[in-house]
Amino acid sequence: MANPKKMTEQQIAEVAELLENAELNAQDVVKVTDKYPDMSFSEALDVQWAIRARKEARGTRIVGMKMGLTSWAKMAQMGVDKPCYGFLADYFSVPQGGEIKMEELIHPKVEAEIAFMMDKELSGPGCHVGDVLAATDFIVPAVEIIDSRYENFKFDLPSVIADNSSSCRFVIGGRPLPVDSIDMRTTGVVMEKNGAVVELGAGAAVLGNPAASVAMLVNMLAERGEVLPAGSFVMTGGITAAVAVEAGDSIVVRYQHLGDVTMKFV
Ligand code: OOG
Ligand code: MG
């Protein structure tokens, strides 16, 4: 058998509870592959989907999905060589210009991303950029706040997948635009922390075109028999390396054509 199942349902459920509690209590934990060194990608996804089910059982709505590690800057920063996905829960959403409480998080970092709102369902395998463009309602600039639940923000790919790809908050700002109104590949972004430029890049950093990230997500979901529902909000992954923040920091990310996304850490 190519990939025998080594973890029991009980172990998947225990790891999901551990990681979800780490998120809810803002308390870091050792990475799960320390205990389960042979955890497969599919087992890691079982844990992520179990965390999602725990939240949904409590009435939390899943509002969309995020892709992670889709740019070389991010892969190099984290020492991981493949993209991953996670889900976005309703309470992750922070209004433009809003305050993000450090006491609710462990060691957050911010990422400049281009996000998509989908108006049609997409399913794989075989989903491509053309399908994504045809199914998109609008694109909008967004900043993701990631917060690995692992000590020192250090992990391997199975561990980060199990931990919902470090998802914790996001801010939608700027202005929505039709997907064909700009060339996302050459759309520039400038990230400022407390008024100083800390990172810059362009959309093509994300798999050549952020729309390719949505297509990859759809094809990864298809491997589990899942689709990307109409109405999903999708974050396509950090264009630049992620930037660590602390209480008192103000972040402004300026996007060519799409406007600014701002937030403050308190
Ligand atoms: C994993 C999540 C990465 C992105 O946009 O690349 C991510 C991590 O780096 O903790 O969200
Ligand atoms: Mg991200």
Side-chain angles (χ1 to χ4, degrees):
M1 227 196 306
N3 183 16
K5 256 231 155 340
K6 290 175 242 88
M7 289 176 71
T8 63
E9 287 303 311
Q10 173 71 20
Q11 288 169 329
I12 298 283
E14 278 170 17
V15 176
E17 183 176 7
L18 171 94
L19 287 173
E20 205 212 2
N21 284 340
E23 178 223 320
L24 297 174
N25 303 327
Q27 187 61 60
D28 57 5
V29 294
V30 298
K31 65 181 192 314
V32 294
T33 48
D34 286 5
K35 183 161 179 195
Y36 297 103
D38 299 325
M39 180 187 273
S40 67
F41 293 134
S42 119
E43 288 165 337
L45 280 168
D46 289 346
V47 173
Q48 182 189 125
W49 283 84
I51 295 172
R52 177 177 171 140
R54 289 173 65 86
K55 293 194 186 303
E56 287 184 295
R58 267 184 239 116
T60 297
R61 256 187 73 211
I62 305 306
V63 296
M65 300 294 290
K66 61 75 80 68
M67 284 289 277
L69 307 170
T70 47
S71 66
W72 287 116
K74 278 292 310 180
M75 285 191 259
Q77 182 181 30
M78 304 319 299
V80 171
D81 64 356
K82 275 189 207 62
C84 56
Y85 69 76
F87 64 83
L88 300 172
D90 51 10
Y91 68 92
F92 294 180
S93 172
V94 175
Q96 164 83 323
E99 293 190 339
I100 296 170
K101 294 193 183 70
M102 287 297 294
E103 68 188 22
E104 294 176 359
L105 309 176
I106 304 166
H107 39 208
K109 297 183 187 178
V110 292
E111 301 182 315
E113 309 202 12
I114 293 177
F116 286 60
M117 271 304 297
M118 310 310 300
D119 65 0
K120 295 189 191 72
E121 178 185 294
L122 280 173
S123 59
C127 179
H128 55 69
V129 167
D131 297 323
V132 172
L133 299 179
T136 302
D137 194 3
F138 57 83
I139 55 170
V140 70
V143 168
E144 183 177 24
I145 297 92
I146 51 169
D147 194 29
S148 175
R149 268 56 71 167
Y150 299 124
E151 289 175 342
N152 304 316
F153 226 112
K154 290 262 173 5
F155 49 68
D156 47 32
L157 202 49
S159 293
V160 70
I161 291 169
D163 183 30
N164 193 24
S165 296
S166 310
S167 308
C168 82
R169 298 286 183 274
F170 63 85
V171 181
I172 301 175
R175 64 183 76 90
L177 286 179
V179 71
D180 57 358
S181 65
I182 58 170
D183 184 343
M184 281 178 279
R185 298 170 304 172
T186 53
T187 299
V189 291
V190 177
M191 187 189 288
E192 297 175 6
K193 180 161 108 173
N194 305 324
V197 174
V198 286
E199 290 287 344
L200 37 85
V206 171
L207 298 173
N209 184 335
S213 174
V214 182
M216 185 182 275
L217 168 67
V218 171
N219 292 327
M220 287 163 96
L221 288 171
E223 288 171 20
R224 292 184 70 95
E226 302 282 348
V227 301
L228 182 66
S232 296
F233 173 68
V234 183
M235 308 214 37
T236 56
I239 291 169
T240 72
V243 172
V245 287
E246 47 192 54
D249 285 342
S250 274
I251 297 290
V252 178
V253 185
R254 305 184 190 283
Y255 292 73
Q256 188 179 18
H257 311 300
L258 290 160
D260 298 348
V261 184
T262 67
M263 75 222 61
K264 185 160 173 67
F265 290 83
V266 296

